Amino acid sequence: METRQKKREELDERAKHGETVVPGGTGGKSLEAQQHLAQGRSKGGQTRKEQLGSEGYHEMGMKGGQSRKEQLGSEGYKEMGRKGGLSTMDKSGGERAAEQGIHIDESKFTNQQE
């Protein structure tokens, strides 16, 4: 069985190669950096939720989703949802789609031209 220290070293090595090993840690160049980024991002969201109240925070999220849907168009937004729905804690939606032979048309993710 792997020791906790060995697991941390493995994750740190993967982070140094640009892989995100901590949810919310995107951009961190080490395991520790990713943990700090994730913690800060979580606190930022929590602070905003406290400022707006639960209902206001929910409304803000709905408006953001609606804006994205308008940018991508209905078809692109649905395609992105298909990919997101396949994701798990272990694998991205793209990885799972490839494993299961499901085609995801990422060209639909680009903003619609007016």
Side-chain angles (χ1 to χ4, degrees):
M1 193 162 104
E2 248 181 338
T3 65
R4 179 174 272 167
Q5 180 62 29
K6 188 172 181 181
K7 183 72 173 166
R8 287 187 61 80
E9 288 170 4
E10 179 189 316
L11 290 173
D12 192 49
E13 192 61 35
R14 288 170 43 196
K16 287 178 182 171
H17 286 93
E19 186 178 337
T20 300
V21 295
V22 175
T26 305
K29 301 296 180 202
S30 70
L31 176 61
E32 186 176 0
Q34 288 190 18
Q35 289 172 327
H36 286 287
L37 282 167
Q39 184 179 28
R41 288 177 178 144
S42 175
K43 282 183 183 175
Q46 197 59 35
T47 299
R48 192 70 176 136
K49 186 174 184 178
E50 290 166 5
Q51 291 170 343
L52 295 173
S54 187
E55 194 173 313
Y57 192 69
H58 177 76
E59 184 68 25
M60 184 177 72
M62 299 240 333
K63 285 182 181 175
Q66 188 61 38
S67 294
R68 191 67 179 138
K69 186 175 182 179
E70 290 168 7
Q71 291 171 343
L72 294 176
S74 189
E75 197 174 322
Y77 196 70
K78 279 169 97 173
E79 195 74 4
M80 187 176 281
R82 282 183 60 211
K83 183 176 179 182
L86 291 169
S87 68
T88 64
M89 292 296 286
D90 298 334
K91 296 182 182 173
S92 72
E95 290 171 321
R96 295 240 0 256
E99 285 177 0
Q100 296 178 15
I102 299 170
H103 176 70
I104 302 289
D105 186 357
E106 293 193 12
S107 69
K108 294 178 182 176
F109 294 178
T110 59
N111 292 350
Q112 297 290 310
Q113 302 301 318
E114 309 205 357

